[in-house]
Amino acid sequence: MPELLIEGAKVALRRFSAGDIGDDYLGWLNDPLLMRYSNQRFAHHNRQSSLRYLASFEDSPNFFLSVRDRANDRLLGTMTAYVSPHHGTADMGILIGAAEARGRGVGLDAWCTLMAWLLAKQGLRKVTAGTLACNTSMLRLVHDSGMEAEGVRRQQEIVNGAPQDILYFARFRDA
């Protein structure tokens, strides 16, 4: 797979590799607080399950990226983009795991950097994302990135015993 480097103001995005699967990464995936809004909270992750997930991106149009601090190359999180070449769309996801990176605009920089790259360099016409209505951090990120609300799936998932809506957002290349 060819090298890939996408640079933002604060982050560098590279293809996630087997070498990124360390104690920090596995700790993020198994952290109940960090995963409280993700369906990943229903699974336990180890090196083997993470290698299987990484392998699922091989020979696909999708991207599994590491989010790295531009200043010191430290792994801060991960991003995914599930690409539909036939429709010219991608659905993005993000996990900022490193505690020191949260609340500093790292996630927004990573999000905007990948979204701009997908729309401009990959030639996609639309990028989408979805999040639970109770995930206020993710809601702030999608709003601050310029994505627009597109739809609601009412009371789709249960969080802490209460039904939650899933909200969908999008940004078009020509917006």
Side-chain angles (χ1 to χ4, degrees):
M1 205 172 278
E3 281 293 317
L4 177 64
L5 174 62
I6 311 166
E7 293 184 302
K10 299 177 180 180
V11 300
L13 308 176
R14 290 196 204 122
R15 289 190 200 281
F16 191 87
S17 72
D20 292 321
I21 303 172
D23 290 343
D24 286 346
Y25 176 70
L26 293 174
W28 302 339
L29 293 180
N30 292 307
D31 181 332
L33 184 63
L34 197 55
M35 291 294 135
R36 66 189 179 279
Y37 303 126
S38 168
N39 285 323
Q40 296 302 315
R41 69 186 185 276
F42 302 120
H44 178 77
H45 299 278
N46 58 32
R47 183 164 176 77
Q48 288 69 37
S49 66
S50 296
L51 286 169
R52 282 192 301 273
Y53 182 68
L54 175 61
S56 73
F57 286 83
E58 291 177 13
D59 300 322
S60 85
N62 305 321
F63 296 94
F64 183 25
L65 304 171
S66 65
V67 178
R68 311 190 87 83
D69 189 322
R70 273 189 73 173
N72 58 22
D73 201 43
R74 178 171 157 65
L75 181 65
L76 302 174
T78 62
M79 297 187 78
T80 55
Y82 288 90
V83 176
S84 175
H86 299 291
H87 299 294
T89 61
D91 191 63
M92 291 174 43
I94 188 169
L95 166 65
I96 298 298
E100 71 274 13
R102 291 183 230 139
R104 296 183 19 228
V106 168
L108 181 61
D109 183 48
W111 190 265
C112 291
T113 298
L114 180 58
M115 185 167 55
W117 183 80
L118 290 167
L119 293 171
K121 302 296 184 188
Q122 295 297 298
L124 299 179
R125 64 181 185 80
K126 180 182 181 184
V127 173
T128 62
T131 188
L132 291 168
C134 59
N135 189 346
T136 56
S137 296
M138 188 64 188
L139 287 174
R140 189 172 40 255
L141 185 146
V142 295
H143 285 292
D144 290 351
S145 73
M147 295 183 105
E148 295 187 12
E150 206 170 48
V152 177
R153 188 171 282 178
R154 299 251 177 245
Q155 301 184 15
Q156 181 66 22
E157 295 191 359
I158 303 294
V159 177
N160 296 326
Q164 295 289 323
D165 295 346
I166 296 180
L167 309 177
Y168 292 95
F169 299 86
R171 181 150 183 180
F172 287 86
R173 180 179 51 219
D174 300 327

